[in-house]
Amino acid sequence: MSLSDQEVQVRVSVAPELASFREVSRGLLARGLPPERVSFEEARGPWNGRVDALLSGMEAGALPVVPRDFLELAEKVVCHREPERWALLYRVLWRLTHGERRLLEREVDRDVQRLRRMERAVRRDVRSLVIRVRFRRGSSDDAERYVAWYRPDHLVVRLAAPFLVGRFPTLRWSLFTPDASAHWDLSRLSYGAGLAWEAPPRTGATARSLGAPRFRTPREERQVCAPVMMVGDVPDTREDGDAPGFAGAAGRLLEVVLSRAGLKPTDLHVSRGPWSGGDVDAPGWREAQAFREALASEVASVRPLLMLALGHVAGQAVLGPGFRLNLNRGQFVQTPWARGAMATFAPSDVLRRTDPRERAELRIHFEADLRSAAQWLRLAGARG
């Protein structure tokens, strides 16, 4: 390496994809460039397989083997929006390949801690997208297609799309975000450009005929009002034309119980928690507190008469850390968010019981709580 090579700061471009970072870092390692001599800039648009001319033509045999756990970590971190992630990833990679082979096991290391935090943030964002995204039915090119628009915190479309294929394998769908889009045609998953908030999806037809989501302006959001804000472990929602409803076995149970109680889905504003579906082990007050913080601005927009929490975590978020589902469900309490609040079982709580007698008992309590909610709501409406 020449003297000029040792002194010059190297600037390289990398796309927000693992394949791009692997090629760039491969070239940097092959040239023996330490992290302090490298500046990263993020490329715009999808990666086309090309790397900087400075890094091309390197022999793979001269490179050290990269630990698999680092690649798994990097796969998540490259999707984070933090601009410094590239320098951090390369610094950790350099250390791993220059004498600190077990670096990722040192949880007290600051670089490792930062990478782990980014990884957790991306995992949460993928989970939130998969849980919260809502597809609407429409048609395009003489074929039925479902369309959704979602704004994730990070660049997670490529991570989340395979989960959506597993969840909706028999539906043709398109997911749009501001940064990228994903499209499933029943046989192939493809990716495309993003879509801004102001521009609803159009594919040879009007956005309305495609069933594209209707988004409110900030002024319209302030004018939203619903009698009941249902939060927590709420089943997936579906839409058939303009008729809202709930999906799956838990959704069918909820619709039946709501109907018997005299509550209509159109009277509800639904805010599902990131732990919906009952697949989180023993969620507690920390999760409930995070849920509560996320709910605050949404409650201010909806201005409900009644907050109806489904499940243990939502009950703690709305009613406080002292809430216990088996002891406090069905009780109406005062809250600064609404005229009243009540927590009860989630439909998944009922369906999860394998003993028929126990399941029947929980369903009786669940129906009784929702009837009480409907009665409270009628009295509150009568009082104005």
Side-chain angles (χ1 to χ4, degrees), residues 257-278:
V257 175
L258 285 171
S259 177
R260 291 180 178 178
L263 293 170
K264 297 181 294 184
T266 52
D267 294 332
L268 307 174
H269 176 90
V270 174
S271 181
R272 303 180 71 242
W275 312 279
S276 297

Side-chain angles (χ1 to χ4, degrees), residues 123-188:
R123 286 183 182 276
R124 286 195 299 268
D125 204 29
V126 171
R127 178 178 174 82
S128 182
L129 186 157
V130 173
I131 289 175
R132 293 175 179 269
V133 72
R134 298 291 178 264
F135 288 99
R136 295 197 180 206
R137 188 169 61 186
S139 60
S140 176
D141 300 328
D142 298 324
E144 185 179 69
R145 177 168 289 271
Y146 289 75
V147 181
W149 193 96
Y150 186 84
R151 186 190 297 275
D153 293 331
H154 302 289
L155 310 173
V156 297
V157 167
R158 288 180 179 269
L159 292 179
F163 288 98
L164 294 175
V165 170
R167 192 175 182 186
F168 306 108
T170 61
L171 300 181
R172 292 181 177 86
W173 52 259
S174 291
L175 168 65
F176 295 90
T177 75
D179 307 290
S181 59
H183 311 274
W184 172 244
D185 65 1
L186 304 184
S187 62
R188 188 174 73 96

Side-chain angles (χ1 to χ4, degrees), residues 104-369:
L104 295 182
E105 299 176 14
R106 294 166 50 190
E107 296 295 340
V108 297
D109 185 89
R110 289 190 176 184
D111 286 345
V112 174
Q113 288 178 342
R114 288 182 63 192
L115 286 182
R116 296 296 186 194
R117 284 196 295 270
M118 291 182 189
E119 178 192 32
R120 288 193 295 270
V122 169
R123 286 183 182 276
R124 286 195 299 268
D125 204 29
V126 171
R127 178 178 174 82
S128 182
L129 186 157
V130 173
I131 289 175
R132 293 175 179 269
V133 72
R134 298 291 178 264
F135 288 99
R136 295 197 180 206
R137 188 169 61 186
S139 60
S140 176
D141 300 328
D142 298 324
E144 185 179 69
R145 177 168 289 271
Y146 289 75
V147 181
W149 193 96
Y150 186 84
R151 186 190 297 275
D153 293 331
H154 302 289
L155 310 173
V156 297
V157 167
R158 288 180 179 269
L159 292 179
F163 288 98
L164 294 175
V165 170
R167 192 175 182 186
F168 306 108
T170 61
L171 300 181
R172 292 181 177 86
W173 52 259
S174 291
L175 168 65
F176 295 90
T177 75
D179 307 290
S181 59
H183 311 274
W184 172 244
D185 65 1
L186 304 184
S187 62
R188 188 174 73 96
L189 182 61
S190 60
Y191 301 94
L195 189 70
W197 174 279
E198 296 80 9
R202 296 176 182 270
T203 310
T206 66
R208 180 66 177 138
S209 68
L210 271 172
R214 297 186 295 270
F215 300 104
R216 300 183 179 92
T217 65
R219 179 179 178 183
E220 289 173 328
E221 287 287 356
R222 291 194 295 270
Q223 295 173 345
V224 173
C225 185
V228 181
M229 184 169 180
M230 183 178 288
V231 303
D233 193 0
V234 185
D236 282 341
T237 55
R238 58 168 172 76
E239 298 219 8
D240 187 1
D242 289 325
F246 298 100
R252 290 191 293 273
L253 172 60
L254 181 58
E255 288 185 340
V256 169
V257 175
L258 285 171
S259 177
R260 291 180 178 178
L263 293 170
K264 297 181 294 184
T266 52
D267 294 332
L268 307 174
H269 176 90
V270 174
S271 181
R272 303 180 71 242
W275 312 279
S276 297
D279 56 352
V280 173
D281 294 333
W285 170 239
R286 181 177 298 179
E287 291 83 1
Q289 182 66 13
F291 187 18
R292 182 180 180 86
E293 293 171 359
L295 276 176
S297 60
E298 189 174 359
V299 172
S301 297
V302 177
R303 303 192 305 275
L305 293 175
L306 176 67
M307 295 282 291
L308 183 59
L310 302 188
H312 168 72
V313 176
Q316 286 203 332
V318 174
L319 304 178
F323 173 79
R324 297 294 181 269
L325 187 61
N326 290 332
L327 297 176
N328 308 118
R329 59 151 196 85
Q331 300 175 6
F332 292 93
V333 299
Q334 293 182 338
T335 170
W337 284 351
R339 291 193 193 180
M342 189 256 279
T344 184
F345 299 112
S348 60
D349 293 330
V350 179
L351 296 178
R352 196 179 301 120
R353 308 300 172 125
T354 57
D355 182 80
R357 182 178 300 179
E358 189 177 4
R359 178 184 290 193
E361 183 178 351
L362 255 68
R363 175 162 178 168
I364 290 171
H365 291 311
F366 182 43
E367 292 195 14
D369 289 343

